[in-house]
């Protein structure tokens, strides 16, 4: 194998690894998003922040751009 083929194979492996997303990790519902792995529920109560309710009942607010998913 020459260097070009090796680079193509490595690029394809990286592409496949990066393209597998966390879509299955999040369940999108009408007014909230549920993280299936951690049990956290995300809801938008203000325009620029999300309220996160953790599985232990604690709450916090995070910026929309800091969410681990794309809020649509």
């Amino acid at each position: 194998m020459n260097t070009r083929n090796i680079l193509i194979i490595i690029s394809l492996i990286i592409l496949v690894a990066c393209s597998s997303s966390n879509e299955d990790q999040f369940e999108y519902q009408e007014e909230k998003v549920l993280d299936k792995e951690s049990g956290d529920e995300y809801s938008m109560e203000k325009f620029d922040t999300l309220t996160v309710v953790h599985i232990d009942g604690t709450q916090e607010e995070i910026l929309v751009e800091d969410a681990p998913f794309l809020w649509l």
Side-chain angles (χ1 to χ4, degrees):
M1 271 188 174
N2 63 24
T3 306
R4 181 174 179 258
N5 289 343
I6 293 172
L7 288 175
I8 289 173
I9 291 172
I10 291 173
S11 298
L12 287 174
I13 291 171
I14 291 172
L15 179 66
V16 170
C18 291
S19 68
S20 61
S21 65
N22 293 342
E23 291 177 14
D24 294 335
Q25 179 181 352
F26 298 101
E27 180 180 317
Y28 296 89
Q29 300 173 353
E30 284 186 26
E31 296 182 9
K32 64 182 177 181
V33 176
L34 176 65
D35 184 338
K36 294 178 185 176
E37 289 183 9
S38 69
D40 294 343
E41 291 184 3
Y42 297 83
S43 61
M44 182 179 275
E45 296 185 12
K46 297 179 184 175
F47 176 73
D48 60 346
T49 60
L50 294 172
T51 301
V52 183
V53 179
H54 299 286
I55 196 164
D56 63 359
T58 59
Q59 293 184 7
E60 68 177 307
E61 288 188 353
I62 63 169
L63 295 174
V64 172
E65 55 264 10
D66 293 336
F69 55 86
L70 177 61
W71 184 270
L72 302 175

